[in-house]
Structures are given as structure tokens and as C-alpha cells.
Amino acid sequence: PVEARNLMAKDWNGKSDPFVVLECEGTQHKTVVMKKTLDPVWQQRFIFKVSDPHMAELYFECRDKDFLGSDLLGTYRMTLHSLVQGEPNDQWLHLQNAKHGDLHVIITPQFKNGGLNTPAPRTGTGSVGKLH
């Protein structure tokens, strides 16, 4: 994720300490925790290996870090089948399971076997997608 905006406040100070857990096909990545903000900027990039881009889903879980554990700020689940090979997909995702909050992501599929909506056929094995 690049950033988030208008997240819910979960801490006594009217802020949150947000981070995002991303999961795709059993692989998890996590952003750093941004302290005392409802509009964090992460600018982090993650790479997921995807076996079947037509079936794969990317799951985002935005959380507020607490001294013990964390609170849910919202989630979003997206499929990858409509993404175009090599073209950045820049979008704001409205968080679900939340009163308000949006997550900004830029997803650039780099599928080695051609995968999704590829302009021209390619050869190779396996698939790799990049997420900013």
C-alpha cells in the first residue's frame, strides 16, 4: 500500500497506529506501523508469487497496533483477474468492515507466464506480481 486516508480512530488520543497485513495465496507481508495518524503514508512495495492469476485474490487487513494486540480498522479483498500485464493499476479502495477509511494501492502485475489480459503472449514458468 502507498497510503491510507480517513481511517477510524481507535486510540484514546483520537488517532490510530495503523499498519496493513497483505495476503495472497498463503503469503503474508506487513507494512511498518505508523504512529498516531489517521492518514498514514507507507510507500512500501511487496512482491507476491501467484500460481494462478485468474483465481488469485489479494486480501488487505488494516489494523491499529496496540500495546497488546491490535484492532481492526477495515479490510478489502480484490481479485487479480481483471488486471493488465505490466500496467500499473492505481486505485483507492474503500475499506470494508469499517465506518470509514480508504487504502491507496498501486498494483503492477508482472506475470512471467503471460497471465492476465496480456497484450501479447509470453513464455515462462510461474508468476510474479508487484504491489506498491
Side-chain angles (χ1 to χ4, degrees):
V2 176
E3 61 188 317
R5 65 181 176 202
N6 196 29
L7 295 176
M8 295 186 301
K10 291 287 189 170
D11 294 341
W12 62 269
N13 62 6
K15 302 286 184 180
S16 286
D17 303 316
F19 66 97
V20 178
V21 177
L22 305 90
E23 184 174 338
C24 186
E25 292 191 341
T27 300
Q28 263 192 11
H29 293 288
K30 186 173 100 172
T31 67
V32 297
V33 174
M34 303 301 289
K35 299 283 186 179
K36 301 177 185 174
T37 182
L38 301 178
D39 302 297
V41 177
W42 290 285
Q43 297 288 347
Q44 288 185 261
R45 177 180 291 194
F46 299 101
I47 296 175
F48 289 91
K49 291 187 178 183
V50 176
S51 60
D52 184 354
H54 296 283
M55 299 298 294
E57 290 186 330
L58 183 56
Y59 179 70
F60 302 89
E61 187 173 275
C62 190
R63 302 196 68 84
D64 168 49
K65 177 73 173 143
D66 292 326
F67 182 71
L68 296 173
S70 63
D71 298 316
L72 184 66
L73 293 173
T75 61
Y76 195 88
R77 183 178 306 276
M78 71 182 309
T79 58
L80 304 179
H81 70 271
S82 64
L83 300 179
V84 177
Q85 167 77 357
E87 291 187 18
N89 183 331
D90 186 334
Q91 61 182 311
W92 283 92
L93 310 173
H94 183 69
L95 291 173
Q96 299 162 350
N97 304 306
K99 291 180 182 175
H100 50 82
D102 303 292
L103 188 63
H104 182 205
V105 299
I106 301 171
I107 301 171
T108 306
Q110 300 293 328
F111 297 103
K112 290 183 179 177
N113 66 353
L116 310 167
N117 301 315
T118 308
R122 298 179 185 230
T123 58
T125 58
S127 300
V128 176
K130 293 183 180 177
L131 172 69
H132 300 247

